[in-house]
Amino acid sequence: MSDIAHFIDGRRVPGRSGRYGDIFNPATGAVVAQVPLASRDKVREAVESARHAQPAWAAVNPQRRARVLLKFLELVGREHESLAKLLSSEHGKTIADARGDIQRGLEVVEFSAGAPYLLKGAYTDAAGPGIDLYSMRQPLGVAAGVTPFNFPAMIPMWMFAPAIACGDAFILKPSEHDPGVPLRLAELMMEAGLPAGVLNVVNGDREAVDALLDDADVKAIAFVGSSQIAEYVYARACASGKRAQCFGAAKNHMVVMPDADMDHAVDALIGAGYGSAGERCMAISVAVPVGKEAAQALLARLVPRVESLKIGLPADASADFGPLVTRTHLDRVKNYVALGVEEGAKLLVDGRGFRMQGYEDGFFMGGCLFDDVTPQMRIYREEIFGPVLSVLRARDYEEALALVSAHEYGNGAAIFTRDGGAARDFATRAQAGMIGVNVPIPTPLAYYTFGGWKRSAFGDLNQHGEDAFRFYTKTKTVTSRWPGGVREGASFVMPTMS
Ligand code: NAD
């Protein structure tokens, strides 16, 4: 059994708290490694190391900092396949999906290598008599990120790449369920030329997160995970004066208008609802057909597709999705399915009984499909985060739009239609942060920003894009006048441009 360590000051260091978490192979159910859960002392050691390393790193010019990211891209490119295997062996997602997880992270690394341009300030010549005015972006110091299990490569890279490009040092606290890839990414950053201490990884649970939240040397916290914890992290970080961006849960709706191309809509729903076993914050978990005919046409196509989903081993290239991440999570998802039945929803496809031959202890389940779901049901109000799709029928477009907007989560929402006017209206009025028009998973590319609305996000700056460069820097504005310019004498009034 392999042991996972922390990564502090450029090397792997063992945990000494005596507390460990299990890492499973989700396909077999076996414990394959143990992850040390950091004590407050271990977190302090990581913060100290980052604090020492950061000033020298900030003094490296942005182009040289960007070159480390460019080298990192090359190194990850070389290891892409082995990283994808490691990722899927701890998470359970298929290897093809794991490759995508890494790739979407690398795209933000590429974007962050534009730091020399993105960090440029503004300059106004002769803003007043002999006065020049300019602004600059300066690093915060030490920033930290807490990441979820479902994208163990992408989300860490979304955080550490812009932070490091900005001249910050970064402490990553990855999910305790799949820390293997984040650790390897930190090693590859060192190999790419990053000085020791600029990127540290501490593994752990709430104790480690609280230690980061309470440490005065940590100036900013980025968090991605469930909403309850996002809200807790946000409140505690803000209370101690830290900058915080905390992204939470989702319940993404896909509205299917009567004029939609139904075959296209069903292809989209199957992939977005069941890909990665539904363990994506941008997964579609609610389909909203508008009108009776759309509902009938959609369900007639959807039911056989859900029944014939191919659940397989992560390494099986023909599998649609693999096992869930842990038995605890599998049980939670199955309990939601039981709850849906109790609440009166119609379970059209029940995948709870699925067993993978030869892997009976693995965390597998098949796809589930509910019809006649209502807005009052908990299976609608709460995030299930598994291969479970709910169909909630709407009488007309306004009712469908109102559902999207009234839900407490507002990560993504999509509309499938041939009507440009309806699509435009939906994009304008739907209360969600990311909208798809005939696109089920509207995850913006690296040079736009990513973030939900309502209880899907706490804080005011999004992930990646230009927002990341705002989040990981503070702005300084300099007003300067040199001796030899115009002499105006002493003034006791507020300077204005009048
Ligand atoms: P989680 O909230 O259980 O864990 C996220 C992180 O918080 C982990 O690193 C974990 O160790 C830490 N943590 C757990 N309990 C804590 C506590 N009591 N105090 C402080 N820290 C704690 O989430 P998860 O199960 O790993 O991930 C799935 C969730 O993440 C889903 O809700 C999903 O929607 C969400 N998610 C959101 C986005 C987004 O951008 N909005 C992206 C991916 C995942």
Side-chain angles (χ1 to χ4, degrees), residues 222-233:
F223 173 92
V224 178
S226 53
S227 283
Q228 205 188 346
I229 298 171
E231 189 173 25
Y232 161 78
V233 169

Side-chain angles (χ1 to χ4, degrees), residues 237-258:
C238 291
S240 60
K242 294 187 198 322
R243 190 173 286 197
Q245 54 170 201
C246 301
F247 300 91
K251 200 77 181 179
N252 305 314
H253 295 57
M254 180 168 135
V255 174
V256 184
M257 296 294 282

Side-chain angles (χ1 to χ4, degrees), residues 364-490:
F364 294 94
M365 70 178 280
C368 296
L369 179 65
F370 277 115
D371 190 15
D372 291 340
V373 175
T374 68
Q376 293 72 36
M377 293 177 181
R378 275 183 55 201
I379 59 159
Y380 174 71
R381 298 200 322 268
E382 297 171 18
E383 183 187 55
I384 298 176
F385 221 56
V388 182
L389 181 65
S390 293
V391 174
L392 201 151
R393 298 161 179 240
R395 275 186 301 273
D396 55 26
Y397 167 70
E398 286 297 333
E399 191 181 17
L401 176 67
L403 278 171
V404 173
S405 294
H407 203 283
E408 71 169 325
Y409 297 127
N411 223 30
I415 186 166
F416 276 62
T417 182
R418 288 187 170 96
D419 180 342
R424 188 169 187 280
D425 186 79
F426 187 81
T428 309
R429 289 167 66 206
Q431 298 297 302
M434 294 169 279
I435 302 293
V437 174
N438 297 315
V439 170
I441 302 192
T443 303
L445 292 176
Y447 44 96
Y448 282 79
T449 73
F450 180 107
W453 287 7
K454 299 180 281 185
R455 286 183 56 77
S456 290
F458 303 85
D460 49 11
L461 286 172
N462 276 352
Q463 302 184 79
H464 65 64
E466 290 183 9
D467 272 11
F469 279 72
R470 293 194 186 98
F471 183 74
Y472 290 112
T473 55
K474 51 196 175 196
T475 304
K476 182 179 278 176
T477 314
V478 181
T479 307
S480 77
R481 175 157 58 191
W482 289 92
V486 182
R487 181 149 182 224
E488 289 179 322

